[in-house]
Amino acid sequence: MKKRMQSLQYQWFLLPILTVYSIFTVYPLLKSFVLSMTDFNGISKQYNFVGLANYGRLFRDQTIISGVSFTLSYAIATTLIITLLAIPLALILDNKFFTRNLHRAIFFFPSIPSGLLLAYVWGFILSPISSGVLNKILKSTFGLSTQPWLSDPMLAKISVIMVAVWAAVGWHAILYLAFLQGISKDYYEAAAIDGATRLKQIRHITLPLLAPAMTVSVMLLLTGGLKVFEIPFALTKGGPGFETYTITQVIVMRGVNEGQYGLASAMAIVFFLIVLALTYFQVTVMQKREERIQ
Amino acid sequence: MEINKRRWLMDIIMLPIGLLTFFPFYLIIVNTFKTQAETARNPISWPKTFYLDNYSYVFREVPLLHAMMNTTVITAISVGTMVIFGAMAAYPIVFNPGKTNKLIMTYLMAGFLIPFQTTLIPLFELMTDFRLIDRLYGLVLVYSGGSVFVFFLMMGYMKTIPKELPEAAIIDGCGTSGIFWKIIFPLLKPITVTAIIYQTMWIWNDFLAPMLFLNSSNNMTLILQVYRAKGEFSVNWPLFMTLTVIVLIPIFIFFILMQKQIVKGIVGGAVKG
């Protein structure tokens, strides 16, 4: 009895988190499921059960198809490019050189402020008008004509992805760097005695030992990439047309702005499933990879 | 000598890449001291004169101090709530283990997999029904669901605290509640710092939730003011850059003071993630 009382005294501590989490996360999730199968419009209190009709409509809505396709390409492209740049960057920043700390700070800093703010600044650099810095530089050094960085469908996608890479690559380099610093120097000394070149050491010691860091970094990049909103929103507002539209933007516009709650909720649920499936798949595959190479 | 040469080589290789990465910040700063006409002509060059009217204009036209107050209040209360709720929740999970608490832990951890975007529409409805739209504390409530991340960090750290510690305190006549507040919570300081840094960066910079749940100018956060100003200043880039510099200053100070802690946080979060 006394033991039981004591146990209950502990359980009170769970009350605050269970309350806020259930009301502000779990309940809305379940409600999304329900709404996705209705024709609720946010205004009339009456609504009908429509089964999976909203899910079918997702595939016929050109804006939504655009949004999903750009979001997926963005998530995959940023993950690949950032990973390919962050690892060599981390290897370099792990060396001793005079401006090392300065460089670490320079690469790291862009990941600290809001993406919205920084993307607006990039809007200035990529602007087609006379103050557009990039066009100005390209014109004066290479004699190139004005490029529509943000209004050509392909260039707009590339620009959005490049700005995202600039903003996040340092953060991920710092993550890899932290793991690099945990690698014992003994491995390298032993390899050097065996006559392994620096390149071979990186290939056979460093990269395998970075596998756990890679699993985490890629997971953060993929999930963060799927949730992308601010950078394309600030750079292109989703344009030209709907070329750089994102899933988040679809949910906000179709749901909150247009009151198509059923359709937007169906999008939200599909999004949830995409995030779930990709995260599960990626983590499983990469953890297997960790086991294999270590 | 040989090593010194290699050192310089790295500096020389990295210099252009570093400059390129830093270049946008250079542009932000130099263009705050130009007129619109000068920026249009020479966006890249060093300013001819140190023209300061942009600063006085931005300070006059944008209620930045008020927005900073709003952002600080929202961030401080949200982060405080998350840290306390998260730490409290970890306490029974770690020190009173059992089947029920294992289940509760799984229930809370599922929160990691639920994107904000999926809950956004019902959340908007909920907030409207409870008249919490355009209320600072409404936004704080929305953020408080983020306690699960803090809970996760706290739980990992709390497991390293020896079980004998609270047991000894019980013998000394300390209650369950007293043990937590007087003994356990103070021991969580290192992980609390990590959690505060993480959550502060998230909420301070967040755009989506404030955009959805705040709308009057009086309640706007810094980022919302940036968003609004971008619409108002349109292509008056010197004014926008000036606003950017002002908004970046507190973030820069935070970065300089906290760089080591942020890095530690990334590593701590990553190792556990």
Side-chain angles (χ1 to χ4, degrees):
Chain A
M1 191 61 203
K2 193 163 174 242
K3 183 111 185 143
R4 183 114 179 234
M5 275 298 290
Q6 210 185 28
S7 175
L8 265 175
Q9 277 171 2
Y10 275 109
Q11 297 307 94
W12 285 111
F13 282 81
L14 283 162
L15 210 58
I17 204 170
L18 285 176
T19 313
V20 292
Y21 172 67
S22 301
I23 296 177
F24 295 104
T25 307
V26 178
Y27 164 75
L29 173 72
L30 301 176
K31 189 77 188 279
S32 265
F33 267 112
V34 175
L35 283 179
S36 76
M37 288 183 282
T38 69
D39 59 2
F40 184 54
N41 60 14
I43 303 159
S44 72
K45 282 286 155 204
Q46 280 201 333
Y47 51 84
N48 308 303
F49 179 76
V50 297
L52 297 175
N54 287 323
Y55 289 88
R57 280 173 65 203
L58 290 179
F59 296 96
R60 294 191 298 273
D61 187 323
Q62 215 42 60
T63 309
I64 292 182
I65 295 173
S66 254
V68 173
S69 110
F70 178 67
T71 305
L72 289 175
S73 352
Y74 172 95
I76 293 167
T78 48
T79 303
L80 283 176
I81 301 171
I82 290 174
T83 306
L84 286 176
L85 293 176
I87 295 175
L89 184 59
L91 288 170
I92 293 173
L93 293 178
D94 196 26
N95 282 301
K96 278 203 179 75
F97 58 103
F98 296 102
T99 52
R100 178 174 75 171
N101 287 341
L102 180 69
H103 274 102
R104 283 184 185 174
I106 286 175
F107 288 109
F108 193 23
F109 184 65
S111 64
I112 308 297
S114 134
L116 187 88
L117 186 67
L118 296 177
Y120 278 141
V121 172
W122 274 95
F124 169 72
I125 298 173
L126 301 171
S127 159
I129 63 168
S130 62
S131 59
V133 174
L134 185 59
N135 279 326
K136 207 153 207 158
I137 294 173
L138 291 177
K139 193 173 178 187
S140 59
T141 45
F142 304 106
L144 281 177
S145 58
T146 300
Q147 296 294 314
W149 295 110
L150 300 172
S151 47
D152 170 80
M154 199 60 207
L155 281 180
K157 286 179 186 157
I158 295 174
S159 302
V160 168
I161 290 167
M162 282 309 155
V163 171
V165 169
W166 169 81
V169 71
W171 198 96
H172 289 270
I174 297 291
L175 175 73
Y176 283 114
L177 184 61
F179 277 78
L180 280 178
Q181 288 165 342
I183 299 175
S184 161
K185 295 273 174 285
D186 298 351
Y187 290 120
Y188 297 112
E189 276 162 19
I193 291 167
D194 290 344
T197 59
R198 182 78 186 103
L199 220 58
K200 271 207 168 129
Q201 290 176 21
I202 290 175
R203 167 84 185 71
H204 295 286
I205 300 170
T206 317
L207 290 182
L209 287 172
L210 279 183
M214 213 166 161
T215 307
V216 176
S217 163
V218 168
M219 184 197 71
L220 293 172
L221 283 168
L222 266 183
T223 49
L226 292 171
K227 292 175 191 166
V228 60
F229 170 60
E230 293 174 13
I231 291 179
F233 181 77
L235 274 176
T236 62
K237 283 228 156 62
F242 295 99
E243 297 288 338
T244 57
Y245 226 63
T246 57
I247 294 179
T248 306
Q249 229 175 326
V250 166
I251 297 172
V252 172
M253 187 188 67
R254 288 283 187 264
V256 179
N257 300 345
E258 295 173 2
Q260 300 196 53
Y261 282 33
L263 182 67
S265 299
M267 180 74 261
I269 294 301
V270 169
F271 177 62
F272 173 54
L273 297 175
I274 293 176
V275 173
L276 212 62
L278 263 181
T279 315
Y280 177 77
F281 177 75
Q282 178 260 327
V283 172
T284 320
V285 166
M286 293 192 73
Q287 272 175 351
K288 282 234 172 76
R289 173 175 166 272
E290 278 177 39
E291 283 162 21
R292 202 178 62 236
I293 55 187
Q294 278 178 0
Chain B
M1 190 56 210
E2 192 50 35
I3 283 176
N4 246 333
K5 236 187 211 160
R6 247 190 67 191
R7 272 194 175 198
W8 278 111
L9 194 70
M10 279 290 176
D11 287 288
I12 291 161
I13 295 170
M14 288 309 283
L15 191 70
I17 308 173
L19 281 176
L20 208 62
T21 306
F22 184 74
F23 186 56
F25 295 106
Y26 163 81
L27 287 175
I28 298 171
I29 296 164
V30 294
N31 283 294
T32 63
F33 301 113
K34 297 176 188 175
T35 62
Q36 210 180 341
E38 195 187 343
T39 292
R41 261 193 326 272
N42 278 318
I44 305 162
S45 65
W46 194 251
K48 282 204 186 72
T49 54
F50 274 86
Y51 174 79
L52 290 169
D53 286 12
N54 293 322
Y55 282 90
S56 56
Y57 184 88
V58 167
F59 269 115
R60 211 169 49 236
E61 293 302 311
V62 187
L64 280 171
L65 281 177
H66 191 76
M68 173 117 46
M69 273 293 289
N70 287 339
T71 314
T72 311
V73 167
I74 293 171
T75 309
I77 300 179
S78 303
V79 174
T81 309
M82 285 191 276
V83 165
I84 291 172
F85 285 12
M88 280 175 72
Y91 180 48
I93 301 287
V94 174
F95 288 99
N96 186 29
K99 265 204 181 115
T100 325
N101 280 353
K102 196 155 190 189
L103 212 67
I104 293 176
M105 183 190 85
T106 315
Y107 173 69
L108 290 176
M109 300 278 281
F112 273 108
L113 299 167
I114 307 171
F116 176 70
Q117 283 86 340
T118 300
T119 61
L120 182 157
I121 290 168
L123 208 51
F124 189 75
E125 240 197 304
L126 189 79
M127 298 285 282
T128 315
D129 288 348
F130 284 94
R131 303 188 186 288
L132 289 170
I133 300 277
D134 206 27
R135 297 269 189 277
L136 297 187
Y137 58 84
L139 194 58
V140 168
L141 283 172
V142 169
Y143 286 135
S144 68
S147 307
V148 287
F149 178 70
V150 181
F151 157 74
F152 173 70
L153 289 178
M154 296 286 183
M155 187 177 64
Y157 194 82
M158 221 182 260
K159 280 181 181 157
T160 63
I161 297 175
K163 289 265 188 294
E164 296 76 34
L165 209 69
E167 275 162 19
I170 290 177
I171 294 162
D172 289 345
C174 206
T176 321
S177 188
I179 294 172
F180 178 74
W181 296 111
K182 290 194 199 115
I183 300 169
I184 308 284
F185 195 60
L187 284 174
L188 298 173
K189 203 175 150 206
I191 198 71
T192 302
V193 173
T194 302
I196 289 175
I197 287 172
Y198 252 83
Q199 304 304 74
T200 299
M201 289 200 300
W202 163 43
I203 293 173
W204 189 274
N205 287 331
D206 191 30
F207 172 57
L208 189 53
M211 181 189 74
L212 290 168
F213 301 123
L214 300 177
N215 41 44
S216 70
S217 171
N218 199 34
N219 284 334
M220 282 189 177
T221 61
L222 277 172
I223 298 300
L224 281 183
Q225 287 291 359
V226 166
Y227 173 57
R228 199 176 72 153
K230 182 64 187 59
E232 254 170 49
F233 298 160
S234 179
V235 288
N236 192 332
W237 286 106
L239 283 185
F240 185 76
M241 294 308 183
T242 308
L243 176 66
T244 305
V245 165
I246 300 168
V247 174
L248 281 177
I249 288 171
I251 297 167
F252 186 71
I253 295 172
F254 171 83
F255 175 73
I256 295 297
L257 293 178
M258 292 290 169
Q259 200 184 346
K260 279 217 173 76
Q261 305 287 346
I262 302 172
V263 173
K264 250 189 221 159
I266 290 177
V267 181
V271 169
K272 294 200 181 71

